[in-house]
Amino acid sequence: MKKCWLLVGLLGLAGCQNMEAVSPWVDVGNQIAKNAGYDTDSRLARGVKDVLNTSTDRASAQLSQTGAFHLQLPAAARPVADSLRQFGFGSYVDQLETAMNRGAEQAVAEAAPVFKQAITGMTVTDALGIVRGGNTAATDYFRGQTESALRQRYQPIVEANLRKTGFYDQYKSMLAVYDKLPIANKPNMDLERYVVDSSMTTLFSRIGQEEALIRKDPVARGSVLIGQVFGPGQG
């Protein structure tokens, strides 16, 4: 029983604010527990996967709600949008911005399978690296593993919503002409890429916030297992 409490205490050190400073203690604790016959690596991996499942589920649920995003046309397009409003065509601008936001929300909802696949494929080595990392180590790892796949899923969803405005083809034709203009340092006017980039930035930012909350109060925000891995330590 004493060894069990020693193991829990050493795992709890992983939740100290200075994760780099406490990392050697995590390694020492792991080795002591292994010598005593405990599979601590697998336990740590389960804790990290719990963190990822919890933080991504919460972030995805929040951002997939209607009204979660408040995207506006990119800064480069604002003068055009302002001119359209001045001449009575503000409804077209409103339609476009509504389509952008609905596309971002629907795209986030489609992210769950990608997240689950990344979590399932996580190795024990990956998990240990996250425990030794900083307050957003899990989120940083996760973005590296899922960003490419998420972009592939986001693109058609955003395009489908922009098509609902009824002037998507005209917009693409205008963009093709714009891209060929011999203008130096042209601002990006690709709305699809803008929406995808903005929604992904928002999503991973929210996941990072959830991870930070879990690390700060793991039992309340996650589970006992998460608490043993990331909980407030004695450091």
Side-chain angles (χ1 to χ4, degrees):
M1 182 61 69
K2 289 182 179 179
K3 290 179 180 177
C4 289
W5 285 111
L6 173 63
L7 169 61
V8 171
L10 286 170
L11 289 175
L13 284 172
C16 291
Q17 291 182 352
N18 189 345
M19 295 295 287
E20 291 183 1
V22 84
S23 178
W25 290 102
V26 174
D27 294 334
V28 171
N30 257 346
Q31 192 57 54
I32 292 173
K34 287 177 185 176
N35 292 340
Y38 295 100
D39 185 7
T40 54
D41 284 359
S42 295
R43 188 180 187 85
L44 286 170
R46 291 199 305 274
V48 171
K49 289 184 178 184
D50 275 1
V51 170
L52 289 175
N53 272 311
T54 302
S55 59
T56 56
D57 284 349
R58 286 174 176 159
S60 298
Q62 292 165 2
L63 293 177
S64 62
Q65 300 296 316
T66 301
F69 281 88
H70 302 282
L71 300 178
Q72 296 180 319
L73 289 171
R78 299 274 171 78
V80 177
D82 291 342
S83 296
L84 287 171
R85 291 189 186 281
Q86 289 176 4
F87 287 96
F89 295 100
S91 61
Y92 291 103
V93 178
D94 294 338
Q95 287 180 49
L96 196 55
E97 291 185 338
T98 297
M100 289 162 51
N101 286 288
R102 297 298 86 81
E105 293 152 7
Q106 292 172 23
V108 169
E110 289 292 317
V114 178
F115 291 153
K116 301 303 179 187
Q117 184 176 4
I119 293 170
T120 301
M122 175 178 286
T123 67
V124 171
T125 301
D126 295 331
L128 292 176
I130 288 171
V131 171
R132 297 179 183 119
N135 285 336
T136 59
T139 304
D140 296 340
Y141 167 85
F142 212 47
R143 182 162 195 165
Q145 293 294 310
T146 64
E147 186 165 7
S148 177
L150 288 176
R151 286 186 179 279
Q152 292 179 9
R153 283 179 175 259
Y154 277 30
Q155 185 70 28
I157 295 171
V158 172
E159 178 183 330
N161 276 272
L162 290 175
R163 283 188 178 280
K164 292 178 183 178
T165 62
F167 47 86
Y168 177 84
D169 291 335
Q170 292 91 326
Y171 149 71
K172 293 298 286 186
S173 297
M174 179 194 71
L175 184 62
V177 173
Y178 173 78
D179 287 341
K180 293 178 181 178
L181 293 176
I183 302 174
N185 301 317
K186 286 186 296 185
N188 176 34
M189 294 284 282
D190 189 332
L191 290 185
E192 290 173 16
R193 192 171 77 182
Y194 170 76
V195 173
V196 170
D197 289 347
S198 298
S199 57
M200 289 189 65
T201 296
T202 301
L203 174 61
F204 284 108
S205 176
R206 186 64 60 85
I207 292 173
Q209 292 169 12
E210 287 293 334
E211 180 185 354
L213 289 172
I214 290 171
R215 287 179 182 270
K216 182 178 179 180
D217 192 358
V219 176
R221 299 289 297 182
S223 70
V224 173
L225 178 58
I226 294 176
Q228 290 177 348
V229 177
F230 293 108
Q234 292 80 16

